[in-house]
Structure formats: C-alpha cells, structure tokens
Amino acid sequence: MIAHWPKGFAQQGTRHAACHVVDILPTILEVTGVCAIVELGETEVQAVQGESLLTLLKGADWQREQPIFFEHEGNSALRMGRFKLVRQYGMKWELYDMELDRTELRNLAAGARDQVRDMAYL
C-alpha cells in the first residue's frame, strides 16, 4: 500500500507490519473522526473488522492486536505476529516465520506442532 497525506504524516520508507485490506476502513474512520454505522434503517450492520493503521502511518511502532484471518476458495491463512499459518484446500497446515522467510520457502510446521495446533484452533 502506498499512502500519501502531507498534512497527516511525514514521508517514510518501507514498513513491514502485517496489515490487511480490512484495516483501511478503520484507518479512514479514525482520520475523519467518524464512527462506523451500526444500523441502516432497521437493519443491523456487521461490525467493522480490522485495525486503524494511523499510528503506523505516523511512523510509530505498531503491533496489531488481533490476528488476520483470510480464506479464498477453501485455501486458508492466519497471520499472527511474525508467523503465518497457511494451507491449500485439503492439505496440511504450513507455518512460516515472516520476519526470517518472507517468501515462505521454509515450512516450520513439523518442528512446531503445538504452535500449529494452537493457531489453527483460533
């Protein structure tokens, strides 16, 4: 993502925090001071997912509070801290340390069975 807001934050280099597209709306809401709607007419609106990235964009250290979950056509992933748990549909979970292995070449799952189990049951 490229973000530009000269009056909001200074130019920075590349940041490697784990973010997701669901973090964009909470960021916009925080910047504008607008609260997310909770109902539209008589219909309850699903709660906003994600976390504001404003602290990160302003250059401060930022750690997300909740894991990132995603799924597409049965393929699943969970990003929590420096670790990413992934699996293709019908296959076993694979675990990667994203700080040491950003290209996901070294599967750590065999040596971290407890961690895989704990993350998979979130």
Side-chain angles (χ1 to χ4, degrees):
M1 178 174 104
I2 298 172
H4 178 74
W5 184 24
K7 294 182 180 181
F9 48 82
Q11 182 176 344
Q12 302 175 45
T14 302
R15 305 295 300 263
H16 293 283
C19 305
H20 194 270
V21 68
V22 297
D23 298 325
I24 295 173
L25 179 57
T27 305
I28 292 170
L29 293 173
E30 182 177 2
V31 165
T32 60
V34 175
C35 295
I37 60 172
V38 294
E39 64 181 38
L40 185 59
E42 296 181 16
T43 304
E44 187 175 324
V45 175
Q46 182 179 355
V48 172
Q49 296 179 351
E51 301 178 22
S52 175
L53 303 173
L54 188 56
T55 302
L56 176 68
L57 294 172
K58 287 185 172 185
D61 286 335
W62 178 81
Q63 295 289 322
R64 71 178 315 108
E65 295 177 17
Q66 299 293 320
I68 302 170
F69 299 93
F70 39 106
E71 181 272 336
H72 180 69
E73 296 182 347
N75 304 309
S76 308
L78 163 69
R79 176 71 191 263
M80 189 167 72
R82 65 189 290 163
F83 293 98
K84 183 176 178 185
L85 189 67
V86 297
R87 75 169 172 200
Q88 290 183 314
Y89 180 75
M91 304 294 283
K92 292 183 178 185
W93 286 108
E94 298 176 7
L95 180 68
Y96 298 96
D97 182 332
M98 299 305 291
E99 288 184 14
L100 300 177
D101 182 20
R102 295 185 67 78
T103 56
E104 300 178 22
L105 296 175
R106 292 180 290 280
N107 180 5
L108 306 173
R113 294 184 193 280
D114 291 344
Q115 183 176 1
V116 170
R117 182 198 65 231
D118 292 346
M119 289 177 72
Y121 284 107
L122 286 177

